[in-house]
């Protein structure tokens, strides 16, 4: 399943909020440097959905396309 994720890095808390069907806002504490925010996003998504997650596109953007295992 593919979802669109908007990322808010440097947040006070980590959370996942559904904005629409297949569109989520993910807040992470990690900074946007050296891939730390991307790693944190994947960790938060894995915890939220209980599935493996992989970023398909948007590695350097705040909007990402993420593939979740079925």
């Amino acid at each position: 399943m593919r979802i669109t994720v908007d990322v808010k890095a440097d947040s006070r808390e980590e959370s996942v909020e559904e904005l629409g069907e297949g569109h989520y806002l993910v807040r992470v504490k990690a900074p946007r440097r050296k891939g730390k925010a991307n790693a944190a996003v994947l960790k938060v998504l894995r915890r939220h959905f209980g599935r493996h997650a992989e970023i398909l596109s948007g590695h350097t953007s705040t909007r990402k396309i993420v593939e979740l295992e079925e």
Side-chain angles (χ1 to χ4, degrees):
M1 171 172 84
R2 287 187 183 180
I3 60 171
T4 302
V5 174
D6 291 334
V7 178
K8 176 80 172 144
D10 294 317
S11 293
R12 290 180 186 227
E13 60 183 42
E14 294 185 334
S15 65
V16 178
E17 178 183 340
E18 187 171 7
L19 301 176
E21 190 171 325
H23 189 193
Y24 295 85
L25 173 64
V26 177
R27 291 181 176 92
V28 294
K29 293 179 180 179
R32 289 174 227 159
R33 293 181 283 286
K34 298 183 181 178
K36 291 182 180 182
N38 284 344
V41 165
L42 293 176
K43 182 179 176 183
V44 169
L45 288 172
R46 286 179 189 132
R47 188 175 18 184
H48 181 76
F49 288 104
R51 304 177 189 178
H52 177 75
E54 179 182 351
I55 297 173
L56 299 178
S57 66
H59 293 277
T60 60
S61 173
T62 58
R63 179 162 286 178
K64 303 177 185 314
I65 304 297
V66 176
E67 178 77 30
L68 297 172
E69 276 188 355
E70 293 296 325

